[in-house]
Each structure stands twice: as structure tokens, then as C-alpha cells.
Amino acid sequence: MSVVEQYARAHIVTDTEDDDRDAVPVVLRYDPDTDPRAVRVGLPGPHEWTFSRSLLEEGLRAPVGSGEVRVWPCGRVQAVVEFHSAGGVSVVQFERKTLMRFLRRTYMAAERVSS
């Protein structure tokens, strides 16, 4: 089985008065058999986003994206992923090392599939 699934904790950033800064569970998923160029991020509730793996990787170094998904580094240790939908915007802050570990695992899984 080549599916990579990683559970992570992230902060959903909001601009409301009752802003809850506690980390929430997030699922990072990669299935090279379904789409070897895409990753999925599952937020609490029914919210799941699929976007380019290269977008996530590039966004760890410099701001990238337009439209529904944008990614950018936030200081030395964090990265932000911003999801746009008709219902609004979700801004999610991750530790960069969590996303880097996930990306490494996706490349290892892709190599196993292509071998």
C-alpha cells in the first residue's frame, strides 16, 4: 500500500473575538495511485482540500498560489496554508517540519510505486 496519511496538529487562524488558538487535528494525505501530483488536507468537519504537491513544497520557501489555495512561509518554523471557498476563507498555520516530513514521505511512496 503506497498511500501516505499523516495526522498533524495545526492552528486555524481567525479574526473573531473568541479566537481559539488551540491546535486542531488535521489529516495530510497522499495517494499516488489516485493522483501522483496531488495532496489532500482534511480539516475538522467535512472540509477536505486537494491541490498540487508542488504548490505545498514551493510554498515552504516563498509565497505561491492563487485562486483556492495559497501557501507561504511564516517565519523560520511555520507555514500558512490558506483555503478559499464560497463559504469563506480558512487560514491554517502548520509547523514547517511537519509539512516537510509529510512531503518526504510522499516522495518515498512515489518512488516505491514507480519501482
Side-chain angles (χ1 to χ4, degrees):
M1 185 161 137
S2 57
V3 173
V4 173
E5 191 167 270
Q6 181 173 318
Y7 295 88
R9 309 263 318 147
H11 293 274
I12 297 179
V13 182
T14 64
D15 59 358
T16 62
E17 291 290 327
D18 61 341
D19 190 9
D20 184 2
R21 293 286 179 180
D22 290 337
V24 297
V26 175
V27 178
L28 306 170
R29 186 172 173 85
Y30 172 72
D31 185 352
D33 295 329
T34 302
D35 185 349
R37 294 180 302 265
V39 294
R40 294 188 308 201
V41 176
L43 301 178
H47 310 290
E48 184 172 87
W49 297 84
T50 302
F51 58 96
S52 164
R53 179 171 64 165
S54 63
L55 179 77
L56 182 58
E57 183 176 13
E58 292 169 21
L60 294 178
R61 294 186 299 270
V64 295
S66 62
E68 293 183 347
V69 180
R70 298 176 184 146
V71 183
W72 66 89
C74 181
R76 291 183 181 193
V77 297
Q78 296 181 332
V80 172
V81 183
E82 184 177 273
F83 302 103
H84 293 254
S85 71
V89 177
S90 293
V91 179
V92 184
Q93 192 172 41
F94 290 91
E95 286 192 21
R96 285 184 63 207
K97 67 181 178 182
T98 298
L99 297 177
M100 290 168 53
R101 184 179 327 118
F102 172 68
L103 285 169
R104 266 194 309 274
R105 292 179 64 210
T106 69
Y107 287 112
M108 289 173 26
E111 286 175 10
R112 284 193 301 268
V113 169
S114 65
S115 297

